[in-house]
Amino acid sequence: MIRAFNKHYRKAIDLLESASGSEKLEMAEKILEWFREIPEEYLISLALFFNEVIDDLGDESLEKINLKVKRKKREEEEELEEEEEFEEEEEEEEEYDEDKEDY
């Protein structure tokens, strides 16, 4: 499987190197669109597989995908969402208390 990946990887690199600037942009847009459609679990699996392939190829020029950074960013986003929800709940309680005082 690694050999097959390596073969396709090398072909893809050759295609990119011989492509014009506009062709490279077009390919990149297609790839990004494809990644957006893939479920997150598959992307993580793909990233882990890619890291394994880099190890097996022994290519020091390739940078591994760092999944820890993305987890941290996701946790920060979740914390922000929780804070916003908490603030909304507090505002609703205040409005309820104000309405209750009016009666």
Side-chain angles (χ1 to χ4, degrees):
M1 187 172 189
I2 301 296
R3 287 183 189 158
F5 179 87
N6 191 17
K7 179 182 171 184
H8 292 295
Y9 165 78
R10 296 291 172 204
K11 279 186 182 179
I13 296 298
D14 291 342
L15 280 173
L16 282 171
E17 288 176 347
S18 65
S20 68
S22 62
E23 289 173 329
K24 288 178 185 178
L25 285 174
E26 191 175 311
M27 281 187 238
E29 288 172 2
K30 287 179 183 179
I31 291 169
L32 287 175
E33 188 176 312
W34 180 70
F35 279 136
R36 285 187 193 108
E37 294 173 3
I38 296 176
E40 185 175 327
E41 299 83 30
Y42 293 149
L43 284 176
I44 292 170
S45 296
L46 185 61
L48 292 171
F49 173 73
F50 183 71
N51 287 345
E52 291 284 327
V53 170
I54 290 173
D55 286 342
D56 289 346
L57 290 175
D59 191 344
E60 298 295 324
S61 68
L62 294 172
E63 186 176 327
K64 286 187 175 183
I65 298 170
N66 185 354
L67 295 172
K68 292 178 184 175
V69 173
K70 297 194 184 293
R71 286 186 198 137
K72 184 177 179 182
K73 186 175 181 180
R74 187 180 320 125
E75 288 173 2
E76 289 174 1
E77 290 174 356
E78 288 174 359
E79 286 178 13
L80 282 174
E81 288 176 11
E82 288 176 5
E83 287 177 16
E84 290 173 358
E85 289 175 9
F86 181 74
E87 289 173 1
E88 289 175 7
E89 288 175 4
E90 283 185 339
E91 289 175 6
E92 289 175 3
E93 286 179 14
E94 288 175 5
E95 290 176 5
Y96 176 76
D97 289 341
E98 289 174 3
D99 289 344
K100 192 175 179 182
E101 289 175 3
D102 289 343
Y103 291 108

